[in-house]
Amino acid sequence: MLRIAVPNKGSLSGPAADMLHEAGYQQRRESKELRIVDPENEVEFFYLRPRDIAIYVSSGRLDIGITGRDLLIDSGANAEEILPLGFARSTFHYATKPGTAKGVEDLGGMTVATSYEGIVAKHLADSGIDAAVVHLDGAVETAIELGVAEVIADVVETGTSLRNAGLEVIGEPIMKSEAVVVRRTGADTEDPKVQQFLRRLQGVLVARTYVMMDYDIRAEHLEAAVAITPGLEGPTVSPLHNEGWVAVRAMVPTKEAQRIMDELYAIGARAILTTAIHACRL
């Protein structure tokens, strides 16, 4: 069986379970379950702390894991990202009191507090900055007020908590993270079971990104319509009972669907419909 690590809690857990369910895999019914077997798909799932997943995968005891890119890099584990999953996105920044520094180039000789020591130490080293890094397990905003550090490095979403602490973001982002599938570095990613798993998740990603669009249009306007809805390998075109009309079906990006419908209507398309895609293979 393919042995897969899944986050057992936190912001990664729910979306990961939802994606796996959409991909046709059985998931646990209770949060206390630490292991389940999906015999129909020949998969065994292990529910682990997100921070530990890359380490388990790097050991070779588990074949694949779902974790955050930030946690993968911070772990220093012998594992690599093989598929981004598009959820649990976050951005890491340095922050400090106004006037302390403008960017990473000003951090030499300072102390940086963070929950992600591995990421920050690597970023400072790659930037050629000699600064100390202090590891804290949370609430790093208070580190500056209490004199533990001059700078913090943390996830920044709206920036509200930083502003409330009297801090400001400085410099460019340290990194951008999201949920990813990880595999032990050097492992055989061509394994048929691994490839099937990845195809299923890729199918979910496409189904979430596209909708199916159907519409009717006069044949003389077909080329203009196809230019608006080229689809993937090309749209499906079928003649209608009414002479001179054709029906067109194509996949279009969900975010652009309303604009595309407006453009089609403007060139004479009618009966324009969109349908959600629940599963696909490209």
Side-chain angles (χ1 to χ4, degrees):
M1 284 193 172
L2 194 66
R3 294 156 66 88
I4 302 174
V6 183
N8 67 342
K9 61 182 179 179
S11 61
L12 290 165
S13 178
D18 290 343
M19 175 168 277
L20 290 168
H21 178 73
E22 289 179 47
Y25 293 105
Q26 179 182 334
Q27 288 297 286
R28 62 181 181 175
R29 296 179 179 179
E30 297 182 4
S31 60
K32 293 182 180 180
E33 291 182 277
L34 301 180
R35 170 185 169 274
I36 68 165
V37 175
D38 181 350
E40 291 186 4
N41 292 298
E42 298 184 330
V43 173
E44 190 173 9
F45 291 104
F46 294 82
Y47 296 86
L48 306 170
R49 292 179 68 248
R51 276 190 172 275
D52 297 337
I53 286 176
I55 296 172
Y56 279 105
V57 171
S58 70
S59 73
R61 300 299 179 93
L62 299 179
D63 300 300
I64 282 176
I66 295 176
T67 187
R69 182 181 295 130
D70 53 345
L71 300 175
L72 166 64
I73 295 173
D74 194 60
S75 72
N78 186 34
E80 60 185 354
E81 173 184 334
I82 58 174
L83 179 67
L85 297 177
F87 64 85
R89 288 192 171 103
S90 61
T91 304
F92 284 78
H93 277 282
Y94 293 109
T96 186
K97 288 188 175 182
T100 303
K102 293 183 178 180
V104 66
E105 66 276 5
D106 300 323
L107 303 185
M110 296 187 185
T111 299
V112 182
T114 183
S115 300
Y116 298 85
E117 184 178 1
I119 292 174
V120 175
K122 183 179 185 303
H123 186 261
L124 290 169
D126 291 346
S127 302
I129 304 299
D130 183 14
V133 180
V134 173
H135 177 83
L136 298 175
D137 279 332
V140 295
E141 293 91 345
T142 60
I144 296 177
E145 181 182 353
L146 296 177
V148 174
E150 294 90 2
V151 182
I152 66 168
D154 202 7
V155 175
V156 176
E157 294 180 357
T158 63
T160 301
S161 60
L162 291 179
R163 287 191 293 272
N164 290 341
L167 306 178
E168 65 177 7
V169 168
I170 60 170
E172 296 297 317
I174 300 169
M175 70 169 294
K176 292 186 178 181
S177 182
E178 64 182 291
V180 297
V181 178
V182 300
R183 180 91 159 133
R184 181 168 57 85
T185 303
D188 180 16
T189 54
E190 298 305 314
D191 181 328
K193 291 182 179 180
V194 174
Q195 287 300 309
Q196 177 179 284
F197 179 78
L198 295 177
R199 280 195 300 272
R200 286 196 182 193
L201 294 190
Q202 288 166 336
V204 173
L205 292 172
V206 173
R208 290 178 173 183
T209 305
Y210 288 85
V211 292
M212 191 66 72
M213 185 169 288
D214 293 89
Y215 58 90
D216 300 338
I217 194 161
R218 294 283 305 176
E220 60 265 30
H221 301 311
L222 178 60
E223 290 305 314
V226 169
I228 298 171
T229 59
L232 298 183
E233 281 79 31
T236 299
V237 180
S238 306
L240 293 177
H241 179 71
N242 289 340
E243 187 175 351
W245 284 83
V246 295
V248 181
R249 164 170 279 199
M251 290 173 63
V252 303
T254 304
K255 292 182 179 180
E256 299 178 25
Q258 291 295 333
R259 176 188 59 78
I260 290 171
M261 293 174 78
D262 291 339
E263 292 183 10
L264 289 172
Y265 191 88
I267 64 170
R270 295 296 181 266
I272 309 170
L273 307 173
T274 61
T275 308
I277 301 170
H278 298 290
C280 73
R281 293 290 185 276
L282 296 182

